[in-house]
Amino acid sequence: MTATHDTPAPIAARLVDPQAYAEALQLQEDFRWLRSNLPVSRATVPGFDPFWVITKHADIGDISRQHAIFHNGERAPVLADRLAQATVRGLTGRQHLVRSLVQMDAPDHPKYRALTQAWFTHANLKKLEQRIRSIARSHVEHMLACAGQCDFVRDVVANYPLRVIMEILGVPPEDEPRMLVLTQQLFGSQDPELNRSRQLSLDTEQLALQLHTVVADFSDYFRRLTQARRAAPRDDVATVIANGLIDGRPIDDFEAMSYYIIIATAGHDTTSSSTAGAMWALCEQPGELAKLRANPDLIPGLVEEAMRWTVPVQHFMRTAMQDYVLRDVTLRAGDWLMLCYLSGNRDEEVFAAPFEFRSDRNPNKHISFGTGAHACLGQHLARMEMRILFEELIPRLAAVELAGTPRRSASNFVSGPKTLPIRFVSS
Ligand code: HEM
């Protein structure tokens, strides 16, 4: 490797900085520069193991699809500095805080994924359409009752995907507020307004300790749920996990807890972010709302474009298991790679006018759900929730605009609008 493959230091520093994702514009510029000048570059940031920065849509796809060469579980599948990784090892004696699908590779990954896959297919989800529509309708009614002004995140979307996934999982409504808080603490732990201790700058060791406590709280809760579902099975995902067999044996406790946590958490901050991202775009481009009202068949297009635009999951990491040549760069066995979905979704080689929001973008090959063996398990559910919400909302929304400055959460992993003040006219 030559020095020419080094990520410029200011860009490398921003790639790890949660605040840079809250501000986003500079980062978009950084990615634009990397795509055209150094599509594969090596970031060296004090305190972090060096990692390759993968910015092109095609490369993110190729790496994701070659899961025998690029592993998830070998090292942290989400960016973490050395101290955080050491703290996790010290606390748990393991490399990962949890061992969910995200931390697994073959041969375990396909076995564990197969347990719940059937639940998240189109065909199965269709059965839930009416139930999801009634949850969506109640959130739309709540918004319309807000006298023409609300915070779309707090008042409408923060709880909507949560209610859907809790119903699928089998968590009763009275426990949902607790689940919401725990998820926000898990994903928003880099954001002082969302983390458990509300401290402005937690050091990385404190962050890992805090995450460990959040995971312990989740596990306490789900341990009780497992016992309940083993004693009295129901038609829900908790029953599938609690009674799941891997190689003919009951699923291990640690993997079961991890499974609940990924299902409970992966689906709501992400889906509420892309739903809020869609509304933010409608506020900034009033022509889009008029187009959608005139032609509701564009709503699935709005959903896809909001996924591309918002990019709720900023990155996942992979580890090369053998040497591999990517463009003009040789990646070595053991190297760590950051798949930059935000960059892939603005790739000029794939998207015409990538910095414009277009509900009628066709084709729209965004990479917000990843691809390959680890492609998002809940992607059909996320799409369905958003489509239904906008099918209910758009006919009743004559006009909408921003009523303040929206803010994104500070996180280099799951980040999206955390406040979206809007003023609207209903019809
Ligand atoms: C807008 C909403 C969502 C976005 C943007 C999103 C994004 C992602 C991404 C980028 C991945 C990793 C893909 C890869 O490594 O190639 C992923 C994996 C996953 N997602 Fe989602 N997700 C969303 C909603 C959901 C929902 C509703 C669920 C509910 C079950 C869910 C469950 C999962 C699970 C279990 C995985 C791990 C899959 C595996 O490793 O095999 N996600 N998601």
Side-chain angles (χ1 to χ4, degrees):
M1 195 198 74
T2 67
T4 54
H5 289 123
D6 290 346
T7 315
I11 297 184
R14 281 191 287 273
L15 285 172
V16 306
D17 177 8
Q19 195 53 40
Y21 292 79
E23 287 152 18
L25 279 182
Q26 179 59 52
L27 206 56
Q28 297 273 19
E29 236 353 274
D30 294 339
F31 280 132
R32 193 208 298 252
W33 187 89
L34 287 173
R35 279 192 305 276
S36 54
N37 297 290
L38 273 178
V40 181
S41 68
R42 193 167 190 262
T44 309
V45 183
F48 288 79
D49 290 338
F51 57 92
W52 291 100
V53 183
I54 312 298
T55 59
K56 293 292 286 179
H57 187 284
D59 296 345
I60 297 170
D62 283 350
I63 290 168
S64 304
R65 280 184 289 270
Q66 300 190 70
H67 53 269
I69 300 179
F70 297 102
H71 275 195
N72 273 44
E74 198 65 21
R75 302 168 65 162
V78 172
L79 186 73
D81 65 18
R82 287 190 194 114
L83 185 55
Q85 297 188 56
T87 309
V88 167
R89 280 194 297 273
L91 286 169
T92 63
R94 298 180 165 103
Q95 196 182 350
H96 306 297
L97 264 183
V98 293
R99 185 164 184 262
S100 73
L101 296 179
V102 167
Q103 287 80 16
M104 288 181 187
D105 295 287
D108 284 355
H109 177 260
K111 295 178 197 165
Y112 280 83
R113 185 153 169 142
L115 280 184
T116 58
Q117 181 90 45
W119 258 92
F120 294 99
T121 57
H122 264 311
N124 193 58
L125 293 171
K126 266 211 115 21
K127 295 191 300 206
L128 301 172
E129 170 116 12
Q130 281 321 312
R131 184 64 199 121
I132 295 178
R133 192 169 294 282
S134 98
I135 298 173
R137 210 169 274 155
S138 71
H139 284 78
V140 168
E141 293 301 342
H142 179 73
M143 170 178 163
L144 299 180
C146 287
Q149 193 150 339
C150 71
D151 183 327
F152 190 72
V153 175
R154 185 195 59 210
D155 298 321
V156 188
V157 291
N159 289 319
Y160 166 57
L162 175 80
R163 293 216 44 211
V164 174
I165 196 69
M166 291 300 131
E167 187 146 324
I168 290 176
L169 194 53
V171 170
E174 61 273 20
D175 296 339
E176 286 173 10
R178 177 101 193 101
M179 289 288 124
L180 181 63
V181 171
L182 285 174
T183 306
Q184 287 176 339
Q185 289 171 345
L186 195 70
F187 287 150
S189 59
Q190 296 171 328
D191 189 316
E193 287 181 2
L194 300 174
N195 71 28
R196 181 166 277 214
S197 55
R198 307 267 157 154
Q199 281 184 35
L200 203 58
S201 56
L202 285 174
D203 70 30
T204 183
E205 194 175 6
Q206 289 170 310
L207 265 179
L209 282 166
Q210 178 179 286
L211 283 178
H212 184 57
T213 329
V214 174
V215 168
D217 285 359
F218 265 122
S219 297
D220 282 348
Y221 181 85
F222 287 124
R223 205 158 281 121
R224 287 194 294 276
L225 193 64
T226 302
Q227 284 157 3
R229 291 303 186 273
R230 284 184 179 157
R234 289 196 199 164
D235 186 16
D236 58 27
V237 170
T239 301
V240 174
I241 297 173
N243 298 287
L245 296 179
I246 300 290
D247 294 332
R249 286 191 299 276
I251 185 170
D252 283 345
D253 199 42
F254 182 55
E255 276 79 9
M257 294 310 128
S258 303
Y259 216 138
Y260 291 121
I261 292 174
I262 184 85
I263 301 270
T265 57
H268 49 93
D269 274 13
T270 46
T271 313
S272 59
S273 283
S274 46
T275 312
M279 181 54 80
W280 189 341
L282 294 182
C283 289
E284 289 189 327
Q285 302 181 45
E288 289 291 305
L289 178 61
K291 260 191 336 200
L292 288 155
R293 280 172 65 85
N295 182 5
D297 289 347
L298 286 177
I299 288 175
L302 167 73
V303 170
E304 294 308 312
E305 183 67 341
M307 296 289 178
R308 184 188 77 86
W309 192 246
T310 316
V311 201
V313 177
Q314 303 297 324
H315 79 270
F316 266 106
M317 307 295 288
R318 297 288 194 269
T319 301
M321 301 306 288
Q322 62 183 60
D323 291 1
Y324 185 89
V325 177
L326 182 63
R327 296 181 187 262
D328 57 341
V329 174
T330 303
L331 310 175
R332 299 288 175 199
D335 280 0
W336 210 24
L337 286 73
M338 179 190 249
L339 307 180
C340 300
Y341 300 122
L342 178 60
S343 179
N345 276 340
R346 299 291 185 275
D347 191 333
E348 302 74 3
E349 272 190 90
V350 178
F351 302 101
F355 291 89
E356 283 176 24
F357 185 97
R358 296 175 174 175
S359 300
D360 52 3
R361 183 178 291 281
N362 188 13
N364 189 343
K365 294 184 186 307
H366 70 75
I367 193 129
S368 288
F369 291 122
T371 183
H374 288 274
C376 178
L377 179 73
Q379 57 181 291
H380 303 306
L381 176 63
R383 289 187 166 105
M384 185 174 167
E385 288 176 52
M386 285 182 69
R387 169 179 61 74
I388 292 175
L389 187 96
F390 285 108
E391 281 171 0
E392 292 298 319
L393 179 56
I394 283 174
R396 303 187 65 186
L397 194 62
V400 64
E401 61 182 13
L402 291 178
T405 309
R407 287 184 303 134
R408 294 172 57 91
S409 56
S411 169
N412 55 30
F413 178 39
V414 172
S415 120
K418 66 175 175 185
T419 61
L420 181 60
I422 59 169
R423 199 174 297 115
F424 59 89
V425 179
S426 52
S427 59

